[in-house]
Amino acid sequence: MSLKLDILVMAAHPDDAELSVAGTIARHIAMGKKVGIVDFTQGELGTRGTAEIRLRESAAAAEILQLSSRDNMKFRDGFFKNDEDHQLKLVEIIRKYQPDIVIANAIEDRHPDHGKASDLTDQACFLSGLRMIHTFDESGESQAAWRPKSVFHYIQDRYIEPDFVIDITPYWPVKEAAIRAFRSQFYDPDSNEPESYLTTPDFLGFIESRSQEMGHKIGVKYGEGFTKSKMLPVSDLFDVI
């Protein structure tokens, strides 16, 4: 029997979700929601670490966040495509978990995989709702069509003006711990591996500053910003105050 999730977070690389939405994940899990992450690749093209190390770090971060599930699609880092084959694989996992909300990579970013993953997710979420597309679960059983109610996109390296911001102030320590679970990827004075954009001491400071910038927009200490794919319906003004 499939595990029904409330929120499914899609990420081109292991650590994309932690860097961008770990606070939002932690907040909703604390509210009793079931949240999972789907990593598209193993991050095998990263300057530091290996695919095996990244998988172990992903498992450690999942435990910190108390995720209900974490999957890795093992798409080719840097070379996966927004094509029929990849779309159908995502349709299978969307139908498996039947999330009400999907959160995807930034609509455009410094790393080309991020925008590509964003487009791939958008199209897979639409296709997943078409009943004439036939997919099967791990047991060979036919999957029912399922389309998430909303798809939101997180903000990554490049600044994008958010459509809304989630207050993550109480969950900043959890976000920081989840990020630091990826020890191979960030500042480590004892590492002998090559330096990269991510491994300077300033990078984690940038992540905190971005969270503070987003928080400032809504009058709190830390926030995470999102863009939306469609207009959000509101029937009660008190839902948005």
Side-chain angles (χ1 to χ4, degrees):
M1 184 175 180
S2 297
L3 169 66
K4 170 75 173 70
L5 295 178
D6 298 295
I7 301 173
L8 185 60
V9 180
M10 303 289 199
H13 310 105
D15 75 22
D16 282 357
E18 283 77 8
L19 288 167
S20 306
V21 290
T24 297
I25 290 171
R27 183 180 190 95
H28 284 83
I29 289 173
M31 293 164 57
K33 303 298 185 183
K34 290 183 172 61
V35 183
I37 293 176
V38 174
D39 298 310
F40 288 5
T41 75
Q42 298 176 88
E44 63 268 23
L45 295 185
T47 303
R48 289 187 177 183
T50 64
E52 292 74 21
I53 289 171
R54 299 293 288 276
L55 288 173
R56 291 198 298 271
E57 291 171 341
S58 298
E63 189 170 342
I64 290 166
L65 291 170
Q66 300 180 48
L67 298 177
S68 293
S69 67
R70 187 164 203 157
D71 296 82
N72 194 295
M73 303 301 292
K74 297 185 178 178
F75 295 163
R76 290 184 65 202
D77 192 6
F79 296 99
F80 70 85
K81 297 179 181 180
N82 181 8
D83 60 11
E84 181 180 349
D85 182 56
H86 289 81
Q87 289 164 7
L88 287 174
K89 287 177 180 175
L90 281 192
V91 167
E92 289 176 7
I93 207 154
I94 292 165
R95 290 176 173 181
K96 173 182 178 180
Y97 289 120
Q98 300 184 340
D100 297 306
I101 295 171
V102 166
I103 304 178
N105 282 91
I107 55 174
E108 65 90 22
D109 203 42
R110 170 182 173 271
H111 196 306
D113 275 1
H114 296 166
K116 187 167 50 175
S118 169
D119 291 340
L120 174 55
T121 300
D122 277 338
Q123 292 188 36
C125 286
F126 179 82
L127 294 171
S128 184
L130 300 179
R131 68 181 184 88
M132 296 305 289
I133 293 178
H134 303 291
T135 58
F136 303 89
D137 64 18
E138 299 94 330
S139 302
E141 296 292 323
S142 180
Q143 293 179 306
W146 180 270
R147 184 173 294 147
K149 294 181 175 67
S150 293
V151 180
F152 303 127
H153 296 266
Y154 43 89
I155 295 167
Q156 299 186 258
D157 186 76
R158 290 181 180 167
Y159 180 81
I160 299 174
E161 184 66 19
D163 291 319
F164 63 92
V165 176
I166 300 290
D167 177 10
I168 64 161
T169 305
Y171 304 98
W172 173 257
V174 180
K175 177 183 175 88
E176 188 173 31
I179 291 171
R180 291 187 182 280
F182 291 89
R183 294 180 59 188
S184 69
Q185 298 305 297
F186 304 114
Y187 177 64
D188 179 0
D190 298 322
S191 176
N192 295 318
E193 292 193 88
E195 292 290 337
S196 77
Y197 175 72
L198 304 179
T199 61
T200 66
D202 294 338
F203 182 75
L204 291 179
F206 159 73
I207 296 299
E208 182 170 11
S209 295
R210 171 61 60 78
S211 294
Q212 289 174 328
E213 178 183 33
M214 291 296 174
H216 181 72
K217 288 179 177 293
I218 59 171
V220 301
K221 187 171 183 180
Y222 293 110
E224 289 173 342
F226 298 84
T227 61
K228 55 183 174 55
S229 298
K230 65 178 182 179
M231 190 60 64
L232 300 179
V234 175
S235 57
D236 184 345
L237 286 176
F238 287 89
D239 289 340
V240 293
I241 61 172

